[in-house]
Each structure stands twice: as C-alpha cells, then as structure tokens.
Amino acid sequence: MIYKRKVQFYETDAQGIVHHSNYPRYFEEARGYYLEKLGYPYDKVRKDLKTDIVLLELIIEYKKPLYFGDSFEIKFGISEMDKFFFSFEYTVIKNSSIIAIGKTKHACLNRNTGKIISIPDILRSKLNGT
C-alpha cells in the first residue's frame, strides 16, 4: 500500500530538516490509513473488538533527509504475522529516492484486562487480505 504526505513546517528542526522523531508518527499515520482502507479503523477495532493494537518494536534506518515542503510517500505492508504478533515494513520515498526504511512489530491487547490476546479472526483476515 502507499500513503502520501507532505512535510509540514512544525515537523522540521532549525535547519528545515524533518526531525527524526517524526518518522514513527508517519508510520503510525500509514497504519491508521491502512486500517481505514480495510474497513477496520482504530476506533472500530477498539469499540467492536474490544482490542487495542500496541507497538512492541520500532526500527528505523535513516538514509537521506526530508525538508519542509517535500512531498513523499510511504510504501508499506504486512511483512510477518503469526497468532499473536504482526509486523509492518516501510519504505519512505521522495522522487524515487529512498529516504528511510523501517519496521514495526505489534500485538493486540484485551481492552479490559490489558493482556496480550491472539489477533482477532476478523482483523487477521483483513490484514491477510482475505
């Protein structure tokens, strides 16, 4: 999947370069966009499935900078999934140039107990594209 975005001024440092702390936010925006496209946005997962999706691991490798006003895209998708965990891989691209690559690992929690649960079947099937 592809998520497109433009760098906002508040995301930059004094040199006009995107601060490194924004890349996890970009990844989260992309995941939210993905879940919306699947018909299961975060609020529906929380309300209907009584489940929270939590971040367990985040890895980012920065290759080149982004600057204020740059348009870029994030190519991303599910890279791994088992009964309890799933991971996304991300490639941030500007003008065919790789800006950053990343990976996140997630689990589902029961909203009442806060304990890890298996990925709900409906969510698993949506993430698998079935």
Side-chain angles (χ1 to χ4, degrees):
M1 180 159 281
I2 297 176
Y3 176 68
K4 295 182 179 186
R5 198 172 185 296
K6 188 173 183 177
V7 174
Q8 302 300 309
F9 183 72
Y10 69 87
E11 298 168 330
T12 62
D13 60 18
Q15 293 77 39
I17 298 171
V18 169
H19 191 269
H20 68 274
S21 66
N22 287 292
Y23 289 85
R25 292 179 181 96
Y26 297 158
F27 295 170
E28 185 166 353
E29 286 178 23
R31 290 191 308 273
Y33 172 78
Y34 181 67
L35 290 172
E36 284 181 20
K37 292 294 181 190
L38 293 178
Y40 259 86
Y42 281 118
D43 60 335
K44 187 172 183 173
V45 171
R46 297 185 86 224
K47 186 173 127 187
D48 294 356
L49 303 178
K50 307 289 187 257
T51 299
D52 282 323
I53 298 172
V54 296
L55 177 70
L56 301 175
E57 185 177 287
L58 168 68
I59 300 168
I60 304 172
E61 184 178 341
Y62 303 98
K63 303 282 191 181
K64 296 181 181 178
L66 284 172
Y67 297 90
F68 169 63
D70 282 350
S71 292
F72 66 96
E73 62 186 29
I74 302 173
K75 292 184 180 179
F76 69 103
I78 297 286
S79 60
E80 298 174 49
M81 187 170 7
D82 62 24
K83 184 176 180 178
F84 293 98
F85 306 103
F86 57 99
S87 298
F88 284 91
E89 288 184 349
Y90 312 82
T91 304
V92 180
I93 300 168
K94 180 185 89 172
N95 300 330
S96 302
S97 184
I98 295 176
I99 302 301
I101 56 174
K103 184 175 181 178
T104 56
K105 183 177 180 180
H106 306 268
C108 293
L109 298 183
N110 177 295
R111 292 196 67 220
N112 296 323
T113 66
K115 296 189 185 283
I116 290 180
I117 58 172
S118 61
I119 301 166
D121 291 339
I122 185 68
L123 185 58
R124 179 189 306 286
S125 69
K126 296 278 186 184
L127 294 171
N128 274 330
T130 58

